[in-house]
Amino acid sequence: MFACPATDDFFRSRIDHMIDVRHPLAVLASRMPWQEIEAQVAQVFSRKARTGAALPDLDLFGEQVQRAARASHAGRPRVPLRIMISLLYLKHAFNESDEAVVARWADTPRWQFFSGCAYYEDRPPCDATTLVKFRQLLGEEGVEELLAQTIRVAVQLKLVSPQQLSQVIVDSTVQSKAIAHPTDSRLLETARARLVQAARDNGIELKQTFAKEGKELSRKAGRYAHARQFKRMRRAIKRQRTIVGRLVRETGRKASALGHAVRQALQETLDKAARIATQSRQRKPVEGQPKLYAWHAPEVSCISKGKARQPYEFGVKVGIASTLRGNLIVGARAFAGNPYDGHTLSEQLEQCRILMQDCQARPTRVVVDLGYRGVDADNPDVRIVHRGKSKRLSAQERQQLKRRQAIEPIIGHLKADHRMNRCPLKGEQGDSVHAVLCAAGYNLRWLLRMIARKGLPFCGRFFCGCTPYARWRQKGCVALREQPSPDLSGPVRAGCESWAASAGNSWAVVESPEMNISGTTKSTHPKNRSHKQYY
């Protein structure tokens, strides 16, 4: 361990001295608009004023509403917003779970640099459950802001033009839910166990719980199905259905006898159990009531996409929109209830317009497959192109139609590399949040690839503005080694000078109006005349 002259801490060195700032992730950290992201997200976390508690004491004027005396539950200080936002980006960009991304963050200085840390921290930034609460507070609107910022950064760095955003490809896929494969036997056994537990929690004593017989019947049904002895399997399932029906009726009678409050507490459990018992009698769902495929996830739908290897998928339909050229995702939205693909197009394009509004662009041409036929009247402002209009397409549109298949590998990467293959989040909101976060993670990896391909350098002026040097960013053309700003003092000035010195004696951190977006200018050092100079 060595002393770092750029800091006040004698025993710690800055992370930018430990990593290569030319790495794409370090370059992206210097280009992301962190202040704007935090400003958009911070309003969700504003503290809510607590309402007064009615005290039982009465005075001459009746009962008064006052603040009840109680201990503060403020807890420890919050984790910085930038760290939490960075963890969500990194989790889906590098295909990590909540526990794994927190553990890997503690071991990776480059990830800590991306999160805005000045010094290396050999400890997790937070508990993994903090990410769960953070996602719930963000909601769909908050994570859409994270996706919109990746699109905006791509436009600002000139990796994609606003004209390219006006032509998009839209397709749908299935985001599977993290549930066991639904079978009648498994669902009936789950309903029996949940009924018994709910009755016990509410003080209801049942005549018989069928615990031993229920488990044995579930095992028998699975063995008979494997041996293709379907008559015996149906006989076991029929007995399971009889047991669930008896428990539902007995629990309902005893709950009504105890009172209306107990009946209301058990109503949801009774309805789910009766629904599972009813749907196991027939293959088709009851009129106006979809099938229940998971006790804890009633929003799951059975979707058939015509795949030979996987005829049925259990989850939610997700619409994906990407640019026609460049393969940047500009929209991802979950649609509950398995709607027709064409009926989701208007909502998908509405989301694209919202995400592109900061880039001064909007989709005007959409390339789709035949699943989106017949919705031209619902989208009059957009030209819809598919091969069902072959005689009405121009030569340019026929050429663009060949690019429609480009969205298929994008969906494949979303599922294989960015966690869209299985959604572990709860409820319909969890489905929506997970789909958008997967798209944001894909765009982050897309930005890293494009930065490496284009050779964009580390931009000191953006980096200094997003960490400790906000006032320095507002100054004009400043060469730190020769003309330091008077506002810089102490460790701030030393940190900038140290970074400039680490880049080379002839290099400086400069903010100049003639510098292009890539941050490069003509090199003057004899050793650097053949390549770009990094600022």
Side-chain angles (χ1 to χ4, degrees):
M1 186 176 294
F2 57 92
C4 179
T7 66
D8 291 335
D9 196 332
F10 184 81
F11 296 102
R12 301 171 73 187
S13 60
R14 295 182 60 87
I15 297 182
D16 53 353
H17 291 177
M18 303 168 61
I19 66 173
D20 184 4
V21 294
R22 295 170 295 181
H23 189 275
L25 192 60
V27 175
L28 183 60
S30 68
R31 305 277 182 159
M32 290 285 287
W34 294 109
Q35 291 89 357
E36 298 179 13
I37 298 176
E38 292 181 20
Q40 294 291 336
V41 173
Q43 58 185 351
V44 181
F45 301 93
S46 60
R47 293 193 180 275
K48 306 296 189 300
R50 294 198 301 266
T51 57
L55 299 181
D57 296 335
L58 299 177
D59 59 9
L60 295 177
F61 302 98
E63 187 173 311
Q64 297 295 320
V65 178
Q66 302 174 1
R67 179 67 60 84
R70 56 183 176 180
S72 174
H73 299 288
R76 65 179 181 181
R78 290 172 175 164
V79 181
L81 275 179
R82 177 169 174 181
I83 291 181
M84 299 303 300
I85 294 169
S86 301
L87 286 174
L88 289 183
Y89 274 134
L90 295 169
K91 167 186 166 66
H92 288 273
F94 296 97
N95 195 10
E96 300 284 357
S97 63
D98 288 347
E99 293 80 6
V101 71
V102 170
R104 187 174 172 185
W105 186 93
D107 299 332
T108 311
R110 193 175 290 120
W111 281 21
Q112 297 186 17
F113 182 80
F114 181 76
S115 302
C117 296
Y119 306 102
Y120 175 70
E121 297 286 346
D122 193 14
R123 59 178 179 80
C126 61
D127 192 80
T129 56
T130 308
L131 284 174
V132 179
K133 302 171 185 177
F134 185 72
R135 276 192 300 261
Q136 292 175 350
L137 288 173
L138 278 181
E140 185 178 5
E141 184 178 354
V143 295
E144 281 183 351
E145 182 63 30
L146 303 187
L147 177 59
Q149 292 298 335
T150 60
I151 302 172
R152 182 180 178 186
V153 170
V155 174
Q156 287 181 344
L157 297 183
K158 297 185 177 179
L159 303 176
V160 64
S161 64
Q163 290 74 21
Q164 289 178 314
L165 298 180
S166 62
Q167 300 178 353
V168 298
I169 310 172
V170 176
D171 199 5
S172 66
T173 185
V174 178
Q175 179 179 260
S176 299
K177 198 75 169 181
I179 62 172
H181 185 79
T183 60
D184 288 338
S185 176
R186 180 181 286 116
L187 288 173
L188 287 168
E189 174 60 19
T190 302
R192 184 204 63 79
R194 293 299 182 95
L195 274 172
V196 172
Q197 184 63 39
R200 185 181 293 115
D201 293 342
N202 288 273
I204 298 176
E205 185 177 355
L206 299 173
K207 293 180 180 180
Q208 190 175 357
T209 62
F210 302 96
K212 185 177 179 180
E213 185 181 1
K215 292 179 181 179
E216 185 63 26
L217 288 171
S218 180
R219 286 193 293 266
K220 282 184 177 180
R223 292 168 185 167
Y224 291 150
H226 180 72
R228 303 186 66 83
Q229 299 177 8
F230 297 117
K231 287 186 178 179
R232 292 180 175 177
M233 180 196 71
R234 284 191 285 269
R235 192 181 305 124
I237 293 176
K238 182 179 179 181
R239 175 57 183 168
Q240 285 184 293
R241 186 165 56 244
T242 302
I243 290 173
V244 172
R246 286 180 61 178
L247 291 175
V248 168
R249 291 189 294 271
E250 183 182 357
T251 306
R253 287 194 305 269
K254 293 185 177 180
S256 300
L258 290 176
H260 180 70
V262 178
R263 178 74 185 192
Q264 287 295 109
L266 290 170
Q267 189 62 45
E268 183 180 359
T269 303
L270 294 173
D271 291 343
K272 281 186 177 181
R275 184 175 166 188
I276 290 174
T278 302
Q279 72 184 21
S280 64
R281 292 190 179 95
Q282 54 189 7
R283 295 179 61 88
K284 293 184 179 181
V286 183
E287 290 294 335
Q289 189 178 36
K291 280 193 173 185
L292 187 66
Y293 296 101
W295 184 278
H296 67 280
E299 72 278 359
V300 171
S301 301
C302 179
I303 303 174
S304 176
K305 298 290 284 187
K307 300 176 184 177
R309 58 179 175 82
Q310 198 172 9
Y312 301 102
E313 297 175 89
F314 300 93
V316 66
K317 182 173 289 187
V318 174
I320 305 295
S322 68
T323 56
L324 186 65
R325 301 286 178 180
N327 298 339
L328 179 70
I329 293 181
V330 294
R333 194 164 195 170
F335 302 97
N338 190 18
Y340 169 62
D341 284 356
H343 297 163
T344 66
L345 186 59
S346 58
E347 295 184 30
Q348 184 67 66
L349 294 178
E350 178 187 8
Q351 186 198 41
C352 292
R353 284 190 288 267
I354 294 173
L355 297 181
M356 295 180 190
Q357 61 185 358
D358 292 338
C359 304
Q360 306 300 322
R362 56 183 300 153
T364 58
R365 181 175 297 176
V366 185
V367 181
V368 295
D369 58 13
L370 292 180
Y372 292 86
R373 286 178 294 185
V375 293
D376 296 74
D378 299 334
N379 304 274
D381 300 333
V382 180
R383 170 66 172 170
I384 301 176
V385 179
H386 56 76
R387 61 185 178 89
K389 299 179 177 180
S390 57
K391 296 183 179 180
R392 291 174 287 169
L393 298 180
S394 63
Q396 182 185 13
E397 290 174 341
R398 289 194 186 94
Q399 192 69 22
Q400 291 174 346
L401 192 58
K402 297 179 180 180
R403 284 280 305 169
R404 194 214 66 82
Q405 295 89 330
I407 199 171
E408 302 296 344
I410 294 177
I411 294 174
H413 283 294
L414 281 172
K415 292 189 174 184
D417 303 330
H418 304 285
R419 307 185 68 79
M420 190 178 273
N421 60 330
R422 197 169 177 87
C423 175
L425 306 186
K426 185 178 180 180
E428 293 184 6
Q429 182 183 5
D431 292 330
S432 303
V433 168
H434 190 259
V436 178
L437 283 176
C438 292
Y442 173 91
N443 280 359
L444 194 74
R445 289 291 291 269
W446 184 91
L447 288 169
L448 296 179
R449 289 195 302 270
M450 295 302 295
I451 287 173
R453 184 181 303 174
K454 301 291 184 181
L456 296 181
F458 179 85
C459 190
R461 58 194 177 108
F462 292 149
F463 169 68
C464 293
C466 66
T467 48
Y469 319 111
R471 289 180 297 173
W472 173 85
R473 181 181 179 183
Q474 299 174 359
K475 299 297 178 181
C477 178
V478 177
L480 291 178
R481 288 185 58 82
E482 298 179 1
Q483 300 178 5
S485 171
D487 288 341
L488 295 177
S489 60
V492 176
R493 175 181 172 184
C496 295
E497 291 180 348
S498 175
W499 181 87
S502 65
N505 290 334
S506 63
W507 293 18
V509 184
V510 178
E511 182 168 3
S512 176
E514 60 268 16
M515 183 184 295
N516 57 23
I517 191 64
S518 64
T520 59
T521 184
K522 187 175 180 181
S523 176
T524 57
H525 197 279
K527 296 181 180 179
N528 299 325
R529 287 176 180 170
S530 60
H531 60 80
K532 297 179 181 179
Q533 183 166 353
Y534 292 88
Y535 281 80

